Amino acid sequence: MMIRKSLSRNPLSFALATAMVFAASAPVFAQDSSSTQTPEEAEKAKSTTTFDTVTVTGSRIAKDTFNSVSPVQVVTREETLLAGFNSTTAALQSTAVTAGSSQINNAYGGYVTDGGPGANTLGLRGLGPTRTLILMNGRRVSPAGARGAVGSTDLNVLPNAIVDRVEILKDGASSIYGSDAVAGVINIITKTKVDGLTFEAQHNATDGGGGDERRYSIVFGQTGERSHFSGSYEYYTRNDLSLRDRDWTRCATDMYRDIDVGDYWGSGDFIDPLTGKSKCYTIDAGGVTINTIGTNTRTGVAAPGTSGTRFNRWRPNSAVTTGLAGYEGVNTWSRDTFDDAMLNQSLISPAKTHTLYFQGGFDLNALGDAELYYEFLGNKRKSTQTGYRQLSLDYAVGNPLIPANLRDSVAGPATNLTNGQPMGVRAFIGFGNDQSKQNVDFLRFNAGLRGHLGSEWNYDFNVMHSRSDADYTFQSFLTSRLAQSLDVVSNGSGGFVCRDASNGCIAAPPLNSNTIGGNLPADWKNWVFVPVTGNTLYKETTFNFNVNGPLFDMPYGSAGGAFGLEYRKADINDTPSQYSIDQDLFNLTASAPTRGNDSVFEAYGELELPLLSGVTAAEELSVNLSGRYTDYKSYGSDETYKIGGLWTPVKWLSFRASYGTSYRAPALFEQFLGGTTGFLSAANDPCDTYGEASPTSMRYINCASQGFDPEFIQTSGVTVITQGGAETGLSAETSKAKTAGIVLQPDFGSFGDLSFAADYFDIKVENGVRDAGGAAILTNCYNSSAADFTAGNGVCRLISRNPDTNALTVTNGFINVATEHVRGLDFTLRYVRDIGPGEFRSTVQITHYIEQTDQLFPEDPKVDSVGMLRSPQNTGTLDLAYKWKNWQVRYGLDWIDKTDSYAYYEENNPGLFDPATSQYKLYTPNYFVQALSVQYDADKWSVTGGVRNLADKEPPTISQGVYNTVGNAPLYSGYDYFGRSYFMNVTYSF
């Protein structure tokens, strides 16, 4: 099987990265107070608590050691505070946690994403958020968000001020935690014992304006002899950061180069005759055609920067008196595509959240010294996004609203606005800004009973219920009202009224320069452009019972065990606006309701076997075994397991390894998503100008078999209907995960404590659940064998073609097609030493990806995206801190490796993407972001302040037309869109 590599490796850069690793990177242990404790520090930490054992994320067995079979990274609240993060969301989506994987964050407000606009999700290893399990205090946080594709935890619901630490298990753990723990587990752990009252306030202000963040919180609690209670309330707000607020987004250009000029990016752009510079916001750079009309082809006067005399696109110009009087002809490059209102669009969408959290317990002095405990999390999110809308208004041939000299124009067939008549003139109007908003209420409550079974065994019974209730509103033109308003008759006074005056119809404006320029009557706008609202309700209920304790004595210790039962039921009910259900939203996606439920029963067990301890060549040798039986109502049953081992031949050296399997049933939206209609351009029809392909290619042969002329030109867009896969045989996906690591902790005495860990990871998902995408389905079908194509086998069954118009419709259901394979290395080095009056601490973390392979269909070649744009091969973080008395100073550095997509695109498009000659810029250099902070921590109060993105580093730039971009920057969560920002945090305790 051919594997496509994204680019040739640079030996020098890899050598430098490797040198950085071995010069500075720590074993990651689960811990309470720092991200890389040594065993001595762990013992000291244990002495301050009443517990003899702890439960490390990645295992349900409480142990008296912090060394773990699986790699666990710990990020403490102190570290996130010093780093300047104003929310748990931002901390979790940082490079230190995600290792360079792209995440859905607040820069994706204008895109269709799972969870809807405003949601923030997290996926480890680039395998997506549905394969990463989010826990809080060891119990799952259910999905939240808006629209039909709700299937992952929305990080916005998490508290911040009461968080003690976050443990990140970067290893598959489905047999321990459930089927969605494919790529890893994030466990947010709160402070369990709080006495008193603490106020906290933090303000993050950007140097360039816009995007400021403020958070005000109160943490409270009381601990008595038999009970404890604690909680927090937080208010968080983020201001809008618009495209206008940053220099690098105010003028997005094509950023093409002219080889004859030299290696100068932008020299190949179209030069705007009005400015003499590269044209801002062309069609490829995010602009839309505005201030223009489309007609039949006719003779006229060319606009500045345009050549020729025959045009079908025109711009109003009252000075033109010949040809088409009042209009000048424009082409693809000279037509208007930029409106100043475009700069009002959200770069970072604003939001407000209220988060209330309670936890507590009461000792019953019965049922085995049982504690009755409870936990409540409530979150309210209000988020908005500002967009920009173009209105394509179609006037029928002969419509009295058209000027007399254009009434004979026949620009195309009838559309859904021309009431059955051929289209005469299309007006491309810059309508202006629109708003989307989401109100999401999330509630999560759990209560349980935990105690002792005898002297050594413990039990825990828990019931949890979660509910996400979201209203989502956006503005849309209504197709029916637009069409009704364009069907007019004279009112006898020189004006017009609707032929059908029902529903309060208001006649559309005549076609003139004001209308084309976007100066539209307010009453007509209010009638045809309305807010539409839908609602998404997601509910999940969980019952869990587990026991753990020693099983039997072995020569070198007691074998530990943990066993449990779990039942989960989830329901989704998304009801779009009736206008959406009726497919009445003009040029927007139409959606049917998404309704469905599923349940699962699971039984699991885990064993910890100490094979050797305190003997020659085996200070510790232990094996961890876990297994889970899973039975889904929808997909039947399967078993998963995991085997792990830890060997410490000498005190300063440990080896660890694990192998596990998973079985993930599709998320509810993957099963039951209501039919959602979208569109692709006509150029996506494989038979469009297929004569340019080789006559021996399957695309050519299959198109010819349908009777198309090789010069066939498709004039209709491709309709794509995306829907859930429950009715099309969608099955559960499986995966395998392997890890192997080494931990070094040499004793340097007075020279300080050094710890180093290197872990190899290998995760392969097979039979993966994915919506293939309309374009991929079309390409795969038309490249299939003639026999399969003719018979409609495989994905060809998802395609239909209208025999009268030749328009294509693709059913893009979720199917089991994908194979994903990710391999790499995690390095962590930590060094701690007393220097002068204080303590110096340095930590380096680097992730190196060896492979990120994706194969959509079995017959497709494997594509390795390592090193390509948005998939850096290496990422790293450096953290240097010095603490003395009440003071602490911290310097941080985030690194994202250079990326390059030339090789992949050149293989598929020979001659177009040779880096030496291509007009496209498809690479980014190494990207570094620095941070500096200082903290003073007194007895009852503390102040922390600093600067993020110290050098005000802008994101790198690429050419348009290949990747989604923000301005000219790749749409990628790893780059900082805020710029330099200042933060100040103040706490005061009573």
Side-chain angles (χ1 to χ4, degrees):
M1 185 72 69
M2 178 177 63
I3 298 179
R4 294 178 180 166
K5 302 299 287 185
S6 62
L7 72 163
S8 58
R9 306 295 179 223
N10 185 320
L12 178 59
S13 65
F14 182 74
L16 289 173
T18 305
M20 289 179 65
V21 168
F22 286 98
S25 220
V28 269
F29 306 103
Q31 58 208 339
D32 289 327
S33 58
S34 69
S35 62
T36 47
Q37 281 182 315
T38 64
E40 291 76 16
E41 291 172 325
E43 289 300 321
K44 185 184 299 183
K46 286 195 310 181
S47 67
T48 63
T49 180
T50 59
F51 297 106
D52 295 325
T53 58
V54 296
T55 300
V56 178
T57 298
S59 173
R60 292 184 181 272
I61 299 174
K63 292 169 281 190
D64 59 1
T65 173
F66 281 79
N67 222 349
S68 169
V69 168
S70 298
V72 178
Q73 176 189 347
V74 177
V75 180
T76 67
R77 175 76 206 292
E78 180 186 35
E79 292 170 333
T80 62
L81 184 63
L82 277 168
F85 295 118
N86 207 335
S87 65
T88 302
T89 300
L92 289 177
Q93 290 185 331
S94 67
T95 301
V97 174
T98 64
S101 299
S102 187
Q103 310 298 322
I104 300 300
N105 63 10
N106 299 302
Y108 284 73
Y111 294 83
V112 177
T113 58
D114 294 346
N120 283 248
T121 56
L122 179 66
L124 296 174
R125 307 302 192 196
L127 293 176
T130 57
R131 299 186 183 122
T132 297
L133 178 61
I134 307 293
L135 306 174
M136 192 165 79
N137 294 324
R139 296 177 180 86
R140 61 180 54 234
V141 182
S142 69
R147 308 204 181 199
V150 173
S152 305
T153 300
D154 179 9
L155 304 180
N156 289 299
V157 308
L158 299 174
N160 184 78
I162 201 169
V163 171
D164 179 62
R165 67 189 186 277
V166 177
E167 296 180 355
I168 304 108
L169 174 68
K170 297 183 178 181
D171 181 16
S174 291
S175 61
I176 299 173
Y177 292 110
S179 62
D180 38 4
V182 175
V185 178
I186 306 290
N187 191 8
I188 296 96
I189 300 173
T190 61
K191 301 171 184 175
T192 55
K193 304 293 184 181
V194 178
D195 282 293
L197 191 67
T198 299
F199 289 100
E200 182 176 329
Q202 181 165 333
H203 187 188
N204 289 44
T206 63
D207 197 30
D212 285 12
E213 299 173 279
R214 296 181 300 279
R215 180 175 52 80
Y216 307 99
S217 63
I218 179 173
V219 177
F220 47 87
Q222 184 175 11
T223 302
E225 289 187 8
R226 294 180 57 188
S227 65
H228 63 91
F229 167 79
S230 60
S232 64
Y233 167 74
E234 300 179 68
Y235 171 71
Y236 168 83
T237 180
R238 180 180 60 250
N239 295 343
D240 179 55
L241 177 62
S242 70
L243 299 180
R244 189 184 305 278
D245 291 328
R246 294 294 177 267
D247 291 339
W248 56 273
T249 52
R250 288 178 192 150
C251 181
T253 66
D254 290 328
M255 208 169 189
Y256 300 148
R257 68 170 174 176
D258 186 340
I259 300 301
D260 294 333
V261 174
D263 191 12
Y264 174 73
W265 300 111
S267 61
D269 290 348
F270 176 79
I271 302 302
D272 191 332
L274 300 178
T275 64
K277 299 178 181 180
S278 295
K279 186 175 177 67
C280 296
Y281 286 93
T282 64
I283 297 296
D284 284 342
V288 291
T289 299
I290 56 174
N291 305 328
T292 305
I293 61 172
T295 68
N296 63 339
T297 301
R298 55 178 65 202
T299 301
V301 176
T306 307
S307 60
T309 59
R310 301 278 289 173
F311 305 97
N312 62 8
R313 295 289 187 274
W314 308 85
R315 182 168 58 198
N317 185 345
S318 59
V320 175
T321 58
T322 61
L324 183 58
Y327 295 88
E328 59 186 13
V330 293
N331 60 19
T332 300
W333 297 105
S334 60
R335 72 180 69 169
D336 292 347
T337 56
F338 172 69
D339 183 342
D340 184 71
M342 290 178 179
L343 299 183
N344 296 330
Q345 295 180 90
S346 298
L347 172 59
I348 300 293
S349 61
K352 293 181 180 180
T353 64
H354 298 265
T355 306
L356 182 63
Y357 177 75
F358 295 106
Q359 62 184 357
F362 181 78
D363 294 336
L364 300 180
N365 288 337
L367 301 176
D369 293 326
E371 178 189 40
L372 179 66
Y373 65 92
Y374 57 89
E375 187 179 44
F376 171 83
L377 173 64
N379 176 270
K380 177 182 284 291
R381 165 167 65 93
K382 292 186 176 182
S383 52
T384 61
Q385 300 82 36
T386 300
Y388 180 86
R389 293 296 297 272
Q390 174 212 51
L391 172 60
S392 299
L393 199 58
D394 295 343
Y395 293 83
V397 171
N399 191 309
L401 295 172
I402 303 176
N405 62 340
L406 280 172
R407 287 180 189 164
D408 63 340
S409 171
V410 182
T415 72
N416 52 10
L417 298 187
T418 59
N419 298 289
Q421 300 299 311
M423 181 181 67
V425 179
R426 172 171 288 174
F428 297 95
I429 301 169
F431 185 79
N433 298 122
D434 63 336
Q435 291 282 329
S436 297
K437 62 180 181 180
Q438 305 80 40
N439 293 331
V440 185
D441 294 330
F442 177 81
L443 299 174
R444 174 183 182 266
F445 176 77
N446 75 82
L449 193 67
R450 57 191 170 204
H452 302 298
L453 295 172
S455 61
E456 296 183 296
W457 277 76
N458 306 307
Y459 70 90
D460 189 342
F461 174 72
N462 183 269
V463 179
M464 181 167 62
H465 180 73
S466 300
R467 175 189 174 98
S468 171
D469 189 351
D471 290 327
Y472 54 96
T473 301
F474 55 94
Q475 295 172 295
S476 176
F477 300 102
L478 301 183
T479 304
S480 60
R481 291 191 181 184
L482 286 172
Q484 187 179 353
S485 75
L486 286 163
D487 185 13
V488 300
V489 295
S490 173
N491 65 0
S493 306
F496 301 93
V497 294
C498 300
R499 188 185 305 275
D500 176 5
S502 64
N503 303 321
C505 178
I506 297 174
L511 183 66
N512 54 39
S513 59
N514 274 329
T515 299
I516 298 168
N519 298 315
L520 304 169
D523 57 348
W524 178 76
K525 289 169 58 176
N526 292 335
W527 191 69
V528 300
F529 191 66
V530 300
V532 295
T533 299
N535 175 266
T536 306
L537 182 63
Y538 192 102
K539 297 184 293 183
E540 185 175 271
T541 302
T542 303
F543 298 88
N544 184 282
F545 177 75
N546 66 77
V547 296
N548 68 80
L551 286 170
F552 49 84
D553 291 333
M554 298 179 66
Y556 294 95
S558 296
F563 307 93
L565 302 172
E566 183 167 300
Y567 174 81
R568 294 194 309 276
K569 182 180 180 181
D571 298 82
I572 188 171
N573 187 341
D574 174 65
T575 305
S577 161
Q578 191 63 44
Y579 295 120
S580 180
I581 296 173
D582 294 341
Q583 301 188 35
D584 199 21
L585 305 182
F586 183 63
N587 284 348
L588 280 183
T589 296
S591 301
T594 297
R595 297 189 176 104
N597 62 77
D598 202 359
S599 61
V600 58
F601 170 79
E602 297 180 293
Y604 54 87
E606 182 183 0
L607 296 176
E608 182 83 16
L609 303 176
L611 303 181
L612 294 172
S613 178
V615 300
T616 303
E619 287 291 328
E620 180 182 357
L621 178 63
S622 61
V623 173
N624 182 278
L625 308 173
S626 60
R628 177 176 290 247
Y629 170 79
T630 301
D631 187 3
Y632 277 94
K633 170 186 171 184
S634 57
Y635 289 99
S637 61
D638 201 354
E639 299 83 32
T640 57
Y641 65 89
K642 184 176 181 180
I643 304 171
L646 176 69
W647 175 39
T648 304
V650 291
K651 290 183 178 180
W652 54 270
L653 174 65
S654 295
F655 299 94
R656 57 191 177 194
S658 66
Y659 175 85
T661 62
S662 74
Y663 171 76
R664 186 184 79 88
L668 290 183
F669 79 90
E670 294 170 331
Q671 301 181 48
F672 303 111
L673 183 68
T676 303
T677 303
F679 304 93
L680 296 172
S681 69
N684 284 276
D685 185 337
C687 294
D688 182 62
T689 63
Y690 75 91
E692 298 175 356
S694 169
T696 61
S697 68
M698 294 314 305
R699 173 190 166 203
Y700 189 103
I701 294 170
N702 288 331
C703 287
S705 72
Q706 293 189 305
F708 290 119
D709 184 275
E711 303 302 319
F712 168 73
I713 296 178
Q714 178 61 273
T715 58
S716 301
V718 179
T719 301
V720 180
I721 303 173
T722 301
Q723 62 186 29
E727 298 180 357
T728 58
L730 186 65
S731 61
E733 67 181 28
T734 60
S735 66
K736 299 175 182 177
K738 295 177 283 188
T739 67
I742 182 173
V743 179
L744 300 174
Q745 297 173 279
D747 184 2
F748 291 139
S750 60
F751 290 98
D753 298 324
L754 178 70
S755 304
F756 172 77
D759 289 283
Y760 169 80
F761 58 88
D762 183 332
I763 304 173
K764 186 174 184 180
V765 178
E766 298 178 306
N767 204 36
V769 175
R770 187 188 301 182
D771 63 314
I777 290 172
L778 287 168
T779 299
N780 189 269
C781 171
Y782 277 82
N783 286 334
S784 62
S785 69
D788 286 341
F789 180 83
T790 303
N793 293 334
V795 295
C796 290
R797 75 184 191 279
L798 304 174
I799 300 171
S800 63
R801 189 183 289 273
N802 187 304
D804 298 321
T805 64
N806 289 319
L808 284 169
T809 298
V810 181
T811 300
N812 177 33
F814 283 87
I815 54 179
N816 295 99
V817 289
T819 297
E820 298 178 64
H821 193 184
V822 57
R823 297 185 295 127
L825 294 164
D826 286 329
F827 300 97
T828 310
L829 179 72
R830 175 166 175 157
Y831 178 69
V832 180
R833 183 183 180 185
D834 291 336
I835 298 178
E839 179 188 74
F840 170 74
R841 183 182 71 247
S842 65
T843 304
V844 172
Q845 293 179 319
I846 292 178
T847 295
H848 170 75
Y849 284 98
I850 301 170
E851 177 182 354
Q852 287 181 293
T853 313
D854 182 88
Q855 185 182 29
L856 186 56
F857 295 103
E859 59 272 23
D860 289 347
K862 292 182 178 179
V863 177
D864 188 355
S865 61
V866 168
M868 291 172 59
L869 293 172
R870 300 187 301 188
S871 298
Q873 184 173 31
N874 300 289
T875 60
T877 62
L878 169 66
D879 192 296
L880 305 176
Y882 186 73
K883 186 174 184 178
W884 76 104
K885 296 183 179 180
N886 300 97
W887 292 91
Q888 186 168 189
V889 177
R890 183 241 182 202
Y891 170 82
L893 178 69
D894 291 349
W895 167 53
I896 296 174
D897 198 7
K898 63 184 182 298
T899 60
D900 183 334
S901 292
Y902 282 117
Y904 170 73
Y905 285 99
E906 176 64 13
E907 184 176 345
N908 291 276
N909 304 272
L912 290 178
F913 294 96
D914 183 338
T917 59
S918 176
Q919 69 171 338
Y920 293 96
K921 180 185 179 184
L922 294 180
Y923 76 87
T924 61
N926 284 287
Y927 181 78
F928 297 94
V929 172
Q930 304 173 76
L932 185 65
S933 61
V934 60
Q935 181 182 80
Y936 182 82
D937 189 2
D939 184 33
K940 292 186 176 182
W941 59 273
S942 70
V943 176
T944 307
V947 184
R948 291 185 54 79
N949 197 347
L950 187 62
D952 199 19
K953 182 74 172 180
E954 294 181 354
T957 57
I958 60 172
S959 298
Q960 305 286 350
V962 181
Y963 285 87
N964 288 328
T965 57
V966 178
N968 278 103
L971 180 64
Y972 171 61
S973 62
Y975 298 135
D976 181 11
Y977 293 165
F978 287 91
R980 183 188 296 118
S981 60
Y982 308 93
F983 66 92
M984 177 71 72
N985 179 286
V986 178
T987 68
Y988 189 87
S989 299
F990 294 89

